[in-house]
C-alpha cells in the first residue's frame, strides 16, 4: 500500500441477531471478497458479530464469550497480511460491558468504545452498555482512523476529540433503523460533523429487518468539503470498494459507486417488504397465509408478501359469511389472480352459527350487537391459525395504523397473526402506497409488474362487512380526518386544543383520543410490524394500559373553572394553580 493511497471496502451486510457463527462467517467471506477487490481494510456495521439490536441478549455472559471468541478467530486470520477488519461487538472489560468497535490487523486487536448511548425511541442502550471514555484515533498502517460509533456523531464532542487528537478521517459504523425522512437527517448530521472537524466521513449502515426495525443500509461517504463521494443502495446487501488519496488537504475519496436510493412512499414500501421478508426468513417460516377479504389492507399485504417471498410462498384465503358481498368475492379473486398466489374460499357460516348456537342459552333475551360481529372475525382468525398450525406458514395480520390506533379491530380475530407489514401505515397512506405499487415495484421484488391491486379495491368505500350495509365511516370519522387527528395525538403529542385549532371538532377529537387510550390493551397483544414513521406503537410509544387521563381540550392559557371551583382560588402568596 502506498502511503498516500487507501482502499476501504464497505461491507453493507445483513447480520442475524444471535447468529454469531453465521455473522462471523459472513465477515470472513466479506474479507475474502475485499481482498479480491484489492482493499486494504474492510469495514462492518455496529455490533455486527452480535447482530443489532441484540437487546438484553448482550447481558448474557455466555453470549459475550461467544462474540469475543469469534472476534479473536477473525483477528488471528488477519496475520496473513490481507485486509484489516473493523468489526463491532459487545465487549466486557474490568467488569463493564461496552458497545465496541475493533480494528483487527496483523493478528492484533485495538478497541474503541461507544460514548453517546441513545436512550430514546427504539433505543435502550443505557440499559445494556456502559458509556466509554472520549476516544483517540487508532493507527492502521500509519493512518490515524477516527472510529465514532453511530450516535457518537449526533453531537459534536466525540468527533471534536478525535479531530484534536489527530484523526485523519472518520469511519462511522451504524445500526441506524429506517423511518420516513431518515436519509436526509443522516446527511445533515454527517455534514455538520464534517464541517466542524474538516475531516471526511464514511457512514456505514447495516441492512435488514430485525423484529419491528428495518435497517435500510444506504451507506455513504462525504469528503471534507461535504461533497457526496459514495452512495450505496438502500435495502440490499453490497460490498463496495472506495479508493482514497491523500494530498495536501488530507484524504479524499476519489473512486466509489454512487446510486440513487428510494425516497418517500417508495422507501416506505421497500422497507415494509424488507421487514416482512427478513421476519419470515430469519424465523425460518416456509411462507405466509392471510385472509384476503377484497379490501385494501389485505390486498396490499398480499402484494408485499409476494414481493418479499414470491407467489409460491403466499397462501390467500377468502373467508366469506352472509354479509360478504359479491363485489368483495370478485375483488379478492382478481387480486389473487393478479399476484399469482394460491387462493382458497372457506365459508365460515357453520363455525359462526355453531358458536351462536352454543352461546344461545347464555345470551337468551339479549339483542344482537357487536358480540355477534366479533364472532365472525374470531372464526376467521381461528381458521387461519389452524392453517398455520397444519402447514407451518405464518399468519399475516393486516390492520393499518388508523385501526390499531382506535381499536377498530377484533382481538383474537383479525388481529391474529405473527407479523403485520402495514402496522405503522395510516389508512390513507395504505391507499397511496397501493396505487404506487400498481405502477412501480422496488428493486429485487419478486412479484409481478403492473396492476396487482384491482382498481375497484382502491375506489370502493372501506367496510369490515360484519353486518348489513356496514361502512367504516359509520363508526369512525372520515379517514382523511382521522389520520390527521391521530398524527397530532401520536406523532406530535399535540394538545386536543391544538388539534381543534386546525379546524377539527372538539368532541370528535376527544372521542378519537379516548379510543386511542382504551385500545392500548389491544396493541400490547398485537403482532409486531414494520416501523415506518418516527413514532410507532410499541418501541417508540409506550403508554400505560390503565390510564384515566383525558385531555379536555382546554388551551394552555385557559382556566379550568370546574377545577378552580373544586380547589378554591389561590390565596395571596400561595402557589398559583
Amino acid at each position: 500500500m502506498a502511503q498516500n493511497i487507501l482502499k476501504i471496502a464497505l461491507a453493507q451486510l445483513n447480520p442475524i441477531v444471535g447468529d454469531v457463527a453465521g455473522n462471523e462467517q459472513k465477515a470472513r467471506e466479506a474479507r475474502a471478497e475485499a481482498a479480491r477487490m484489492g482493499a486494504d481494510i474492510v469495514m462492518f456495521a455496529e455490533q455486527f458479530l452480535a447482530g443489532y439490536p441484540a437487546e438484553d441478549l448482550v447481558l448474557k455472559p455466555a453470549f459475550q464469550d461467544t462474540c469475543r471468541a469469534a472476534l479473536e478467530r477473525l483477528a488471528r486470520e488477519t496475520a496473513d497480511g490481507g485486509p484489516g477488519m473493523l468489526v463491532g461487538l459487545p465487549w466486557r472489560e474490568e467488569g463493564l460491558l461496552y458497545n465496541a468497535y475493533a480494528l483487527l490487523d496483523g493478528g492484533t486487536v485495538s478497541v474503541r468504545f461507544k460514548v453517546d448511548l441513545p436512550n430514546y425511541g427504539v433505543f435502550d442502550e443505557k440499559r445494556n452498555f456502559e458509556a466509554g471514555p472520549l476516544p483517540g484515533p487508532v493507527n492502521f498502517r500509519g493512518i490515524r482512523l477516527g472510529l465514532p460509533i453511530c450516535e457518537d456523531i449526533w453531537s459534536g464532542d466525540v468527533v471534536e476529540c478525535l479531530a484534536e487528537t489527530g484523526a485523519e478521517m472518520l469511519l462511522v459504523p451504524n445500526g441506524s433503523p429506517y423511518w420516513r425522512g431518515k436519509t436526509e437527517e443522516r446527511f445533515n448530521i454527517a455534514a455538520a460533523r464534517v464541517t466542524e472537524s474538516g475531516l471526511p466521513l464514511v457512514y456505514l449502515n447495516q441492512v435488514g429487518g430485525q423484529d419491528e426495525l428495518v435497517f435500510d443500509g444506504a451507506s455513504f461517504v462525504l469528503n471534507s468539503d461535504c461533497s457526496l463521494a459514495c452512495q450505496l443502495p438502500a435495502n440490499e446487501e453490497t460490498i463496495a470498494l472506495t479508493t482514497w488519496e491523500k494530498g495536501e488537504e488530507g484524504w479524499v475519496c476519489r473512486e466509489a459507486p454512487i446510486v440513487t436510493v428510494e425516497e418517500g412512499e417508495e422507501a416506505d414500501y421497500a422497507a415494509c417488504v424488507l421487514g416482512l421478508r427478513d421476519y419470515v426468513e430469519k424465523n425460518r417460516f416456509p411462507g405466509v397465509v392471510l385472509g384476503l377479504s377484497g379490501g385494501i389492507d389485505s390486498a396490499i399485504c398480499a402484494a408485499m408478501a409476494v414481493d418479499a417471498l414470491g407467489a409460491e410462498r403466499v397462501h390467500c384465503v377468502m373467508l366469506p359469511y352472509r354479509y360478504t358481498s359479491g363485489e368483495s368475492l370478485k375483488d379478492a379473486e382478481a387480486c389473487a389472480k393478479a399476484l399469482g398466489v394460491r387462493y382458497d374460499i372457506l365459508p365460515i357460516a357453520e363455525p359462526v352459527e355453531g358458536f351462536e348456537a352454543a352461546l344461545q342459552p347464555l345470551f337468551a333475551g339479549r339483542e344482537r350487537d357487536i358480540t355477534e360481529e366479533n364472532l365472525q372475525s374470531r372464526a376467521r382468525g381461528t381458521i387461519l391459525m389452524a392453517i398455520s398450525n397444519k402447514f407451518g406458514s405464518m399468519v399475516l395480520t393486516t390492520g393499518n395504523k388508523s385501526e390499531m390506533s382506535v381499536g377498530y379491530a377484533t382481538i383474537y380475530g383479525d388481529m391474529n397473526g405473527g407479523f403485520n407489514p402495514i402496522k405503522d401505515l395510516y389508512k390513507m397512506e395504505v391507499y397511496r402506497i397501493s396505487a404506487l405499487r400498481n405502477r412501480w415495484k422496488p428493486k429485487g421484488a419478486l412479484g409481478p409488474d403492473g396492476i396487482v391491486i384491482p382498481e375497484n379495491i382502491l375506489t370502493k368505500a372501506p367496510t369490515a362487512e360484519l353486518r348489513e350495509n356496514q361502512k367504516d365511516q359509520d363508526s369512525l370519522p372520515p379517514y382523511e380526518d382521522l389520520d390527521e387527528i391521530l398524527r397530532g395525538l401520536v406523532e406530535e403529542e399535540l394538545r386536543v386544543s391544538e388539534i381543534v385549532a386546525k379546524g377539527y371538532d372538539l368532541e370528535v377529537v376527544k372521542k378519537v383520543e379516548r379510543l386511542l387510550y382504551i385500545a392500548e390493551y389491544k396493541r400490547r397483544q398485537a403482532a409486531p410490524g414494520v416501523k415506518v414513521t418516527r413514532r410507532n406503537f410499541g418501541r417508540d410509544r409506550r403508554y400505560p394500559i390503565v390510564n384515566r387521563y383525558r385531555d379536555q381540550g382546554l388551551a394552555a392559557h385557559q382556566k379550568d373553572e370546574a377545577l378552580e371551583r373544586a380547589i378554591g382560588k389561590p390565596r395571596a402568596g400561595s402557589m398559583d394553580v
Side-chain angles (χ1 to χ4, degrees), residues 166-278:
E168 298 175 58
M169 63 175 64
L170 303 171
L171 306 184
V172 189
N174 291 271
S176 178
Y178 172 81
W179 60 70
R180 196 175 297 142
K182 190 70 171 291
T183 300
E184 182 179 1
E185 191 171 6
R186 291 175 188 142
F187 275 122
N188 290 339
I189 293 295
R193 301 293 85 81
V194 169
T195 300
E196 292 163 3
S197 67
L199 299 176
L201 182 149
V202 177
Y203 187 102
L204 190 280
N205 193 23
Q206 79 175 41
V207 68
Q210 171 58 31
D211 296 345
E212 302 102 315
L213 302 181
V214 171
F215 298 89
D216 55 324
S219 306
F220 61 89
V221 174
L222 296 181
N223 276 321
S224 58
D225 61 358
C226 288
S227 62
L228 181 67
C230 175
Q231 175 64 69
L232 299 191
N235 305 308
E236 63 179 87
E237 290 188 299
T238 188
I239 300 173
L241 185 68
T242 64
T243 301
W244 297 70
E245 182 178 4
K246 187 176 182 180
E248 293 183 2
E249 301 300 318
W251 288 97
V252 177
C253 182
R254 295 294 189 193
E255 283 186 54
I258 297 180
V259 303
T260 301
V261 299
E262 299 91 350
E263 296 182 358
E265 288 169 354
E266 289 184 358
D268 288 351
Y269 186 89
C272 291
V273 169
L274 176 57
L276 173 57
R277 176 187 296 137
D278 272 6

Side-chain angles (χ1 to χ4, degrees), residues 41 43 85-87 100-103 110-115 135-139 144-150 152-153 158-159 162 167 169-173:
I41 190 168
M43 180 181 179
M85 304 177 76
L86 288 165
V87 185
Y101 203 50
L103 168 64
S110 300
V111 182
R112 293 295 182 268
F113 303 139
K114 191 172 185 177
V115 178
V138 296
N139 189 312
R144 296 174 65 79
L145 305 177
L147 305 177
I149 302 172
C150 198
D152 285 345
I153 69 166
V158 174
V159 171
L162 287 166
M169 63 175 64
L170 303 171
L171 306 184
V172 189

Side-chain angles (χ1 to χ4, degrees), residues 314-509:
V314 179
H315 182 189
C316 292
V317 185
M318 161 56 88
L319 299 154
Y321 189 52
R322 69 177 69 163
Y323 304 119
T324 303
S325 66
E327 181 182 37
S328 292
L329 286 162
K330 179 181 177 182
D331 289 340
E333 182 178 10
C335 184
K337 184 176 181 180
L339 290 167
V341 298
R342 176 180 174 180
Y343 175 68
D344 291 306
I345 300 176
L346 300 179
I348 64 168
E350 286 191 23
V352 170
E353 289 160 13
F355 280 129
E356 290 191 3
L359 291 165
Q360 196 279 328
L362 195 63
F363 289 0
R366 291 183 174 267
E367 295 292 325
R368 294 178 67 86
D369 55 21
I370 196 172
T371 306
E372 285 74 19
E373 294 181 21
N374 286 341
L375 281 176
Q376 299 167 51
S377 182
R378 291 187 175 121
R380 292 183 173 110
T382 298
I383 291 170
L384 291 172
M385 289 305 298
I387 295 170
S388 173
N389 290 160
K390 185 63 70 176
F391 299 105
S393 296
M394 183 190 74
V395 176
L396 212 56
T397 185
T398 62
N400 59 69
K401 191 171 186 176
S402 305
E403 295 171 351
M404 293 296 100
S405 295
V406 297
Y408 194 67
T410 304
I411 195 166
Y412 321 125
D414 56 312
M415 288 178 65
N416 277 5
F419 197 75
N420 181 351
I422 63 167
K423 183 179 180 180
D424 203 27
L425 291 171
Y426 289 108
K427 187 74 170 189
M428 297 311 297
E429 291 171 340
V430 169
Y431 277 105
R432 290 195 296 272
I433 220 166
S434 297
L436 168 70
R437 177 57 183 85
N438 277 349
R439 62 180 184 270
W440 167 90
K441 69 176 183 181
K443 182 181 177 182
L446 301 177
D449 295 327
I451 295 174
V452 294
I453 299 174
E455 183 65 23
N456 195 54
I457 292 179
L458 290 166
T459 57
K460 67 184 180 182
T463 171
E465 292 191 322
L466 297 176
R467 62 177 182 268
E468 205 71 54
N469 298 318
Q470 183 184 31
K471 296 291 184 289
D472 289 2
Q473 255 59 89
D474 297 341
S475 306
L476 300 172
Y479 280 116
E480 294 89 340
D481 294 340
L482 177 63
D483 289 358
E484 291 307 312
I485 293 170
L486 288 170
R487 280 193 188 89
L489 293 171
V490 176
E491 265 76 37
E492 302 175 59
E493 291 286 9
L494 296 181
R495 297 178 179 87
V496 165
S497 61
E498 292 173 303
I499 299 173
V500 170
K502 294 184 176 185
Y504 297 100
D505 180 78
L506 172 62
E507 294 308 313
V508 170
V509 178

